[in-house]
């Protein structure tokens, strides 16, 4: 007796297409669902601790609130008062001057350090660590250190100058030297910018440099016509970061000068802090914060919009 044969039921061609289409739809949906589940903690944190406070501060900028009573709506009075506030304009002037000088100075200094640390010398890892370490030191600790270095009476700099018969300036105690001193101090923390430049230099193709060398290009020509154009995306990235960071300078004024002498180092964020936590004018402080946000946003957009004129991408984009 012959064994019964089993026949597999196969779907028709049309049925196979329907099943394949359903499977094709299900997999992306599952991936999308899993994506939103995984980013949900970040979304919750962003809404609660970033977007929510931003919206609250925007509404607060149209009120008068001293932290003790309920906020009182006053419309745009805070912004009108800002236009007639001499200390607001002084803080904006100090911060803008600081950023205009320290941003290009920091870019150039960090790039020079990166070029030095990109050479093939013995103990290179140790040198890279030494030059990067200052950037991870605490801002308050660095401020205390520079308070001693630039002390006009017994500071390190003036003591060294006295050995060669030069009387040092007042540094942080002088209205003329206080801001330049803080600009000079900003070079202490260029390690992060230097590391990013160093990564950009590592990505410059060696064959392009060798081809330029074979064509008779010297060190300066290779840097100007090969290295620098390929480094412009890195320069753009560091430029945007430095603009944002320098406009938010606070620690130096808070721990070293208290905005003095005679408001010579009254940085914008420090003035915002004074209004919020000394004068207890949270509404005005919120308005100052939104003006700063607008300034930084406009500057960042301008830099990004004009970047296509000077930034070169290897892919030709």
């Amino acid at each position: 007796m012959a064994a019964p044969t089993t026949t597999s039921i196969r779907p028709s061609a049309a049925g196979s297409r329907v099943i394949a289409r359903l499977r094709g739809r299900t997999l992306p949906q599952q991936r999308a669902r899993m994506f939103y589940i995984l980013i949900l903690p970040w979304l919750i944190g962003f809404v609660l601790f970033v977007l929510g406070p931003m919206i609250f501060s925007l509404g607060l900028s149209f009120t008068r609130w001293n932290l003790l009573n309920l906020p009182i709506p006053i419309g745009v009075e805070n912004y009108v008062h800002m236009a007639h506030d001499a200390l607001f304009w002084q803080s904006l002037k100090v911060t803008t001057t600081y950023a205009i000088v320290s941003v290009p100075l920091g870019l150039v200094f960090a790039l020079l350090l990166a070029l030095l640390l990109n050479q093939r010398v013995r103990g290179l890892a140790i040198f890279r660590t030494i030059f990067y370490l200052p950037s991870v030191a605490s801002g308050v600790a660095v401020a205390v250190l520079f308070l001693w270095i630039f002390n006009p009476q017994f500071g390190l700099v003036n003591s060294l100058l006295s050995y060669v018969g030069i009387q040092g300036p007042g540094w942080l105690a002088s209205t003329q030297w206080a801001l330049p001193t803080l600009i000079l101090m900003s070079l202490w923390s260029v390690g992060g910018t230097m590391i990013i430049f160093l990564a950009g230099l590592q990505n410059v193709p060696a064959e392009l440099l060798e081809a330029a060398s074979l064509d008779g290009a010297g060190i300066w020509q290779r840097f100007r016509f090969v290295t620098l154009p390929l480094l412009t995306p890195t320069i753009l990235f560091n430029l945007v970061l430095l603009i944002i960071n320098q406009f938010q300078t606070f620690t130096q004024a808070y721990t070293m000068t208290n905005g003095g002498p005679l408001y010579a180092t009254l940085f914008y964020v420090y003035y915002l802090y004074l209004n919020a936590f000394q004068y207890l004018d949270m509404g005005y402080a919120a308005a100052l914060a939104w003006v700063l946000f607008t300034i930084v946003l406009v500057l960042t957009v301008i830099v990004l919009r004009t970047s296509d004129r000077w930034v070169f991408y290897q892919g030709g984009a």
Side-chain angles (χ1 to χ4, degrees):
M1 183 176 179
T5 59
T6 58
T7 59
S8 59
I9 301 177
R10 299 180 178 179
S12 62
S16 299
R17 288 194 296 268
V18 172
I19 295 174
R21 189 177 304 169
L22 291 175
R23 288 179 178 176
R25 290 180 178 178
T26 303
L27 187 57
Q29 291 176 356
Q30 291 177 348
R31 290 179 176 176
R33 190 180 300 111
M34 182 58 65
F35 168 77
Y36 287 113
I37 291 175
L38 292 175
I39 69 170
L40 185 61
W42 179 87
L43 284 176
I44 295 175
F46 176 76
V47 172
L48 291 180
F49 302 112
V50 179
L51 184 61
M54 286 182 65
I55 297 175
F56 176 75
S57 69
L58 179 60
L60 197 63
S61 67
F62 299 100
T63 66
R64 182 184 295 114
W65 186 35
N66 61 1
L67 296 177
L68 303 177
N69 302 315
L70 293 176
I72 301 174
I74 58 173
V76 297
E77 184 177 322
N78 285 326
Y79 295 95
V80 174
H81 172 65
M82 197 181 305
H84 301 88
D85 185 2
L87 290 182
F88 161 75
W89 292 108
Q90 173 65 15
S91 65
L92 187 59
K93 173 186 174 183
V94 169
T95 306
T96 303
T97 304
Y98 179 82
I100 289 175
V101 179
S102 63
V103 168
L105 189 63
L107 285 173
V108 172
F109 191 66
L111 180 56
L112 291 176
L113 288 178
L115 289 170
L116 289 175
L117 297 177
N118 196 41
Q119 307 301 315
R120 296 180 180 179
V121 295
R122 185 174 299 177
L124 184 59
I126 298 176
F127 288 113
R128 289 177 177 176
T129 303
I130 292 173
F131 281 100
Y132 177 71
L133 276 178
S135 64
V136 300
S138 169
V140 176
V142 173
V144 173
L145 174 64
F146 275 90
L147 273 175
W148 167 67
I149 292 176
F150 289 109
N151 188 286
Q153 297 179 354
F154 52 83
L156 177 62
V157 175
N158 281 1
S159 297
L160 294 176
L161 291 176
S162 65
Y163 291 143
V164 294
I166 299 176
Q167 183 178 0
W171 299 115
L172 294 172
S174 168
T175 55
Q176 296 179 349
W177 284 93
L179 188 59
T181 302
L182 296 182
I183 293 173
L184 184 64
M185 176 184 165
S186 67
L187 297 178
W188 181 262
S189 58
V190 298
T193 308
M194 176 199 70
I195 288 296
I196 298 174
F197 271 131
L198 189 58
L201 290 172
Q202 298 286 330
N203 289 327
V204 175
E207 56 270 17
L208 293 181
L209 295 174
E210 293 176 359
S213 180
L214 292 174
D215 288 339
I219 297 177
W220 169 248
Q221 286 77 16
R222 291 198 299 270
F223 172 76
R224 180 181 177 184
F225 297 108
V226 179
T227 303
L228 193 58
L230 295 178
L231 209 59
T232 49
T234 309
I235 296 175
L236 173 64
F237 179 78
N238 281 330
L239 176 62
V240 172
L241 287 185
L242 282 176
I243 289 175
I244 296 173
N245 290 335
Q246 303 302 57
F247 267 90
Q248 298 182 76
T249 301
F250 169 77
T251 305
Q252 295 90 322
Y254 179 72
T255 59
M256 299 177 67
T257 64
N258 291 324
L262 297 178
Y263 305 113
T265 58
L266 184 65
F267 287 97
Y268 193 98
V269 177
Y270 181 67
Y271 183 55
L272 189 156
Y273 164 82
L274 291 178
N275 279 278
F277 300 105
Q278 275 200 7
Y279 311 148
L280 296 182
D281 193 351
M282 293 297 295
Y284 190 55
L288 288 171
W290 274 95
V291 169
L292 177 62
F293 171 78
T294 304
I295 293 173
V296 174
L297 179 62
V298 169
L299 291 176
T300 304
V301 170
I302 291 175
V303 170
L304 294 177
R305 287 290 181 90
T306 58
S307 63
D308 56 347
R309 302 178 184 177
W310 57 275
V311 177
F312 172 80
Y313 295 98
Q314 295 187 47

